[in-house]
Amino acid sequence: GGVTVTVDDGFRDFCEHVVPVAVDRKVPVLLYLATGSVSANGNAAPEALTWADLRDAVSTGLVEIGAHTHNHANLAHATEAEADAEMRRCKELIEDKLGVECRHFSYPWSLASPAAESVARSLFSTAALPWETNRGPEIDPHRVGRTPVLKSDGTLFFRAKVAGKLDGEALVYRILRRGPWRPS
């Protein structure tokens, strides 16, 4: 058992809110970064992170940076070439700009074509895909389950999610065409 704290995308609120709490509580965090939203010089949208922000976060020793494609791409129907371009560019930017190995990947919206899954297996040690709890003696490291914690969850739902008791929630969100993974 155990819980891993992960955050997707990489906006300024990660460094403003998540990193200070992680440092205060000494909790490791894995940020799955969509590198296309990172500002090179701080002159982008006000919510954008900079590479300097990310270097500071990594320097805490509690933040690891994983890939989330360059353009937050929907990989549900991606060809091998499309998936490789998105994933490889993201991985290379992280490694080049931050000087750290990028070993982990998360699919935007938890969607992937078979070709995208193949590319992820070749580039990364792990890949997060389905919205579910990881169970069983053998978990495929390239199909690691994740359960989103939503602002509206409250303590009761948070505890239930941590305990793996709300796996069916994903089905309800998909039927209602709602949820945190809605592709654009």
Side-chain angles (χ1 to χ4, degrees), residues 120-144:
R121 286 180 185 279
S122 72
L123 292 176
F124 302 99
S125 301
T126 69
L129 183 62
W131 182 346
E132 62 186 41
T133 303
N134 297 295
R135 291 194 174 93
E138 295 183 30
I139 296 169
D140 181 346
H142 291 92
R143 293 187 64 80
V144 176

Side-chain angles (χ1 to χ4, degrees), residues 6 9 13 30 35 40 58 60 87 90 92 96 98 110 116 122 140 142 148 151 158 183:
T6 64
D9 304 333
D13 61 352
L30 173 56
T35 51
V58 169
T60 66
M87 290 182 211
C90 183
E92 289 175 353
D96 180 56
L98 301 177
S110 294
S122 72
D140 181 346
H142 291 92
K151 192 178 206 179
F158 174 76

Side-chain angles (χ1 to χ4, degrees), residues 53-106:
D53 293 331
L54 291 161
R55 280 191 290 279
D56 289 346
V58 169
S59 75
T60 66
L62 292 167
V63 175
E64 185 167 356
I65 308 296
H68 198 48
T69 72
H70 182 67
N71 293 304
H72 203 269
N74 180 348
L75 300 176
H77 304 290
T79 65
E80 189 170 329
E82 292 165 338
D84 186 77
E86 279 288 332
M87 290 182 211
R88 189 174 302 277
R89 183 171 184 198
C90 183
K91 177 179 174 63
E92 289 175 353
L93 278 168
I94 290 166
E95 292 177 345
D96 180 56
K97 299 288 189 180
L98 301 177
V100 297
E101 185 180 10
C102 180
R103 302 176 303 131
H104 308 288
F105 178 73
S106 176

Side-chain angles (χ1 to χ4, degrees), residues 6-14 30-38 47-49 51 54 65-73 90 94 106-110 146 180-182:
T6 64
V7 177
D8 285 1
D9 304 333
F11 294 104
R12 183 164 302 282
D13 61 352
F14 176 76
L30 173 56
L31 170 63
Y32 290 115
L33 180 67
T35 51
S37 65
V38 178
E47 70 272 5
L49 281 172
W51 290 109
L54 291 161
I65 308 296
H68 198 48
T69 72
H70 182 67
N71 293 304
H72 203 269
C90 183
I94 290 166
S106 176
Y107 297 92
W109 302 292
S110 294
R146 297 173 73 206
W181 76 97
R182 288 187 307 251

